[in-house]
Amino acid sequence: MNAFLSQLLNGLDKGGAYALIALGLTLVFGTLGVVNFAHGALFMLGCFCAVTFRYLITLETVTLDPEKLSPWGQPVEVRTPLVQNWFGDFGAVLVDYSVPISILLAIPAMLVIGIAMERGIVKHFYKRSHAEQILVTFGLAIVLQEIVKAFFGANPIPQPIPSDLRGAADIGAWFGMAPHLLTYPWWRLIYLLFSGLVIGGVFAFLQFTTFGMVVRAGMADRETVGLMGIDIDRRFTIVFGLAAVVAGVAGVMYTPLLAPNYHLGMDFLVLSFVVVVVGGMGSLPGAVAAGFLLGILQSFASMTEVKSLIPGIDQVIIYLVAVVILLVRPRGLMGRRGIMEN
């Protein structure tokens, strides 16, 4: 039972990442009709927002301490982060919590990147075929990947978990079980909660704000909304930026779980696209449901007992499920009629 609950939590955690990336990908397809193969690169850029922020706040001052001498009789160098010199204990907290605080950098940075991408490239392919959209956005993803590689190198750059959030939570004790019977890492629990908050925030924004209502109307009938005098194109540009922000903050919070590297976006792109197709192209609830469903299935497929029966099943389970669902229901779990059925 404990193993089952642990794998379920692992699946929900992994599914949260899939759902966040797929949510942004579906937002773009549902509003603009664009298959954005650069969306995984936006997740990767979010990761490197966290890397950049930590680099900036850990820039050090070097002073010599004449009271401490090296074995050679030279004063010892003392290295202190600039923010710690400037702000004291508060500066030390900034360094320790650099990952969650870097969201403050990632939000405006990803919004600007998303809007620039839509205005500079994507808007010219609205009326082109999906094949052309895929080619140009995939090419853009490769360009972004190589730019990151040139600036940050090819090796992964680990990001630390804040010291207060290391270790594991005794989840079993919360529900009256024996102490330490069911534990789970704090940061993974935080990421799961964070995923739920972001997903809920996006749905609330689209459902309960005037801006969101216009966007949903434009997704259903763009031409009619335009005839009402509403600049739907400008709103859709902002939605593209919002999708970039969702992918970026998902990447920021994922950095302590998987060290950022330049090809991280490509690793998540294929999985997220499979999630979108399984959930149904253009369906936001479908993308979220499919993300958590496939994350849970992949988690259970990675259990030793399952892999001993079917070796390698954890590597292909997502694609097997996608094949079965698309054979039975070509539009995906919650897709609209006519999409992906030709």
Side-chain angles (χ1 to χ4, degrees):
M1 184 62 181
N2 296 336
F4 175 85
L5 292 174
S6 295
Q7 291 302 324
L8 179 61
L9 287 170
N10 281 330
L12 290 173
D13 166 47
K14 194 173 295 184
Y18 294 163
L20 281 178
I21 303 174
L23 184 64
L25 193 58
T26 303
L27 265 175
V28 171
F29 182 82
T31 54
L32 304 175
V34 174
V35 182
N36 181 19
F37 260 52
H39 199 72
L42 295 175
F43 178 83
M44 178 265 296
L45 290 176
C47 293
F48 280 94
C49 282
V51 172
T52 302
F53 182 78
R54 183 167 182 81
Y55 172 78
L56 292 174
I57 66 169
T58 54
L59 290 174
E60 297 175 326
T61 58
V62 180
T63 57
L64 298 178
D65 187 346
E67 297 182 359
K68 296 181 180 179
L69 301 178
S70 69
W72 299 273
Q74 300 296 323
V76 173
E77 289 185 350
V78 178
R79 296 178 177 270
T80 309
L82 281 172
V83 293
Q84 198 165 336
N85 277 338
W86 295 341
F87 303 112
D89 291 340
F90 180 69
V93 172
L94 287 177
V95 173
D96 191 26
Y97 282 80
S98 64
V99 169
I101 294 174
S102 61
I103 289 177
L104 300 177
L105 168 66
I107 290 175
M110 296 308 301
L111 184 62
V112 170
I113 291 171
I115 291 175
M117 184 186 298
E118 192 274 340
R119 290 287 86 189
I121 297 176
V122 175
K123 75 172 185 177
H124 301 292
F125 289 84
Y126 287 162
K127 297 182 180 179
R128 303 284 190 93
S129 67
H130 290 326
E132 291 177 290
Q133 294 169 359
I134 290 172
L135 285 173
V136 73
T137 53
F138 187 73
L140 179 59
I142 293 174
V143 170
L144 293 173
Q145 174 178 290
E146 292 304 314
I147 290 173
V148 168
K149 182 180 178 182
F151 276 94
F152 295 95
N155 295 323
I157 306 175
Q159 298 298 293
I161 297 173
S163 56
D164 292 336
L165 301 176
R166 295 169 190 168
D170 192 354
I171 298 177
W174 299 351
F175 298 98
M177 300 169 64
H180 309 298
L181 192 61
L182 178 62
T183 60
Y184 199 70
W186 272 111
W187 190 258
R188 289 186 175 275
L189 284 176
I190 289 171
Y191 190 84
L192 177 58
L193 177 62
F194 173 79
S195 301
L197 289 174
V198 172
I199 291 169
V202 171
F203 276 93
F205 173 75
L206 293 175
Q207 189 70 31
F208 301 116
T209 66
T210 302
F211 186 99
M213 292 177 186
V214 172
V215 168
R216 286 189 291 114
M219 292 171 68
D221 192 339
R222 182 172 183 163
E223 184 176 352
T224 300
V225 173
L227 291 173
M228 295 173 64
I230 297 173
D231 187 355
I232 194 66
D233 289 338
R234 183 174 64 85
R235 292 175 185 260
F236 281 178
T237 298
I238 295 174
V239 169
F240 196 101
L242 175 64
V245 169
V246 171
V249 296
V252 166
M253 294 295 284
Y254 208 75
T255 53
L257 302 178
L258 184 63
N261 57 69
Y262 72 97
H263 57 77
L264 187 63
M266 291 297 182
D267 295 342
F268 274 86
L269 172 63
V270 176
L271 288 172
S272 61
F273 191 72
V274 171
V275 170
V276 170
V277 172
V278 169
M281 295 294 286
S283 171
L284 297 178
V288 174
F292 283 106
L293 172 65
L294 295 179
I296 290 170
L297 289 176
Q298 189 177 47
S299 178
F300 282 110
S302 66
M303 294 177 68
T304 304
E305 297 84 353
V306 176
K307 290 195 292 184
S308 63
L309 293 174
I310 313 175
I313 186 62
D314 57 317
Q315 302 297 319
V316 299
I317 183 66
I318 286 180
Y319 308 103
L320 288 177
V321 172
V323 168
V324 172
I325 289 177
L326 292 179
L327 285 174
V328 175
R329 189 177 175 83
R331 73 179 74 111
L333 293 175
M334 302 181 187
R336 292 174 289 175
R337 182 176 296 277
I339 297 180
M340 300 297 289
E341 291 187 323
N342 296 326

